[in-house]
Amino acid sequence: YLKSRGLGDVYKRQVYEGAVASTVLPAEGGYLGVWANHAPMVAALVPGMLTLYEGSSEVETSHYAVSSGFAEVSGNKMILLVDSAELESEIDAQRAEKALERAKENLRKALHGGEGEFDIERAQRAKERAEARLHVAYSRGK
C-alpha cells in the first residue's frame, strides 16, 4: 500500500491499498519495475510518476505523482512511504504550472543570490515535485 507523510514525517493518509500485478516506481537510479513475487528490496524514491497495474492487468490502471520516500518489497508485498502522493484526478494542472514557475524563480534567486534567503535544496525539491505533478496531470491525455 501507499502512505503519504506530512510535515515532520507524521503519517497523514493511506492513499492506496490493494492487489497489483506490477508497478513502476521513480527510484534514484531511474524508473524501477516491480512485479509480483519480486525479490525483497528497499529503494529510495525520487519525485516522479508511480504507475500501478492492478489485478492481472497489463494495462496501466492508475498514476500517482509522488515525492521522495522509500519503497520496501518483502513477502510479495510492497509498502511505499512518501512525503506526498496525489492520484492523477486530484491534480490541478494550472495550479501545478504556477507552482513550477514559482519554484523555478525561487531556484534562480537561490542560485544567483537574489533578494531574500532562498534555500537551493528546498527550491530544487519544490521544482521536482511540481514537474512530477505536471507529468502525471498531462499523462491523462494519453
Side-chain angles (χ1 to χ4, degrees):
Y1 57 85
L2 175 61
K3 288 186 177 182
S4 178
R5 299 182 294 199
L7 295 176
D9 295 339
V10 175
Y11 169 76
K12 275 261 187 160
R13 68 181 179 139
Q14 182 171 315
V15 180
Y16 178 88
E17 182 172 3
V20 297
S22 65
T23 185
V24 178
L25 310 166
E28 276 193 350
Y31 277 84
L32 172 67
V34 178
W35 289 81
N37 301 310
H38 196 281
M41 67 161 210
V42 174
L45 302 179
V46 297
M49 182 166 68
L50 166 73
T51 303
L52 299 180
Y53 299 82
E54 295 178 18
S56 61
S57 175
E58 292 185 17
V59 176
E60 298 173 2
T61 52
S62 56
H63 297 100
Y64 292 85
V66 296
S67 60
S68 58
F70 295 93
E72 177 187 10
V73 176
S74 178
N76 211 26
K77 291 184 181 182
M78 179 170 24
I79 296 174
L80 300 170
L81 296 173
V82 294
D83 291 325
S84 66
E86 293 176 87
L87 185 59
E88 60 191 337
S89 62
E90 299 172 334
I91 298 171
D92 178 338
Q94 287 180 327
R95 188 169 159 232
E97 286 175 359
K98 289 178 184 175
L100 178 59
E101 290 307 314
R102 275 192 314 275
K104 285 180 177 179
E105 180 61 21
N106 288 341
L107 185 57
R108 186 192 63 74
K109 288 178 181 177
L111 291 170
H112 300 297
E115 296 178 19
E117 293 288 323
F118 290 98
D119 181 352
I120 293 173
E121 186 177 329
R122 185 175 171 197
Q124 183 64 35
R125 284 193 316 262
K127 178 180 167 285
E128 290 168 354
R129 281 192 309 272
E131 288 171 338
R133 293 177 75 226
L134 284 170
H135 180 70
V136 172
Y138 292 134
S139 74
R140 287 189 293 236
K142 288 184 179 179

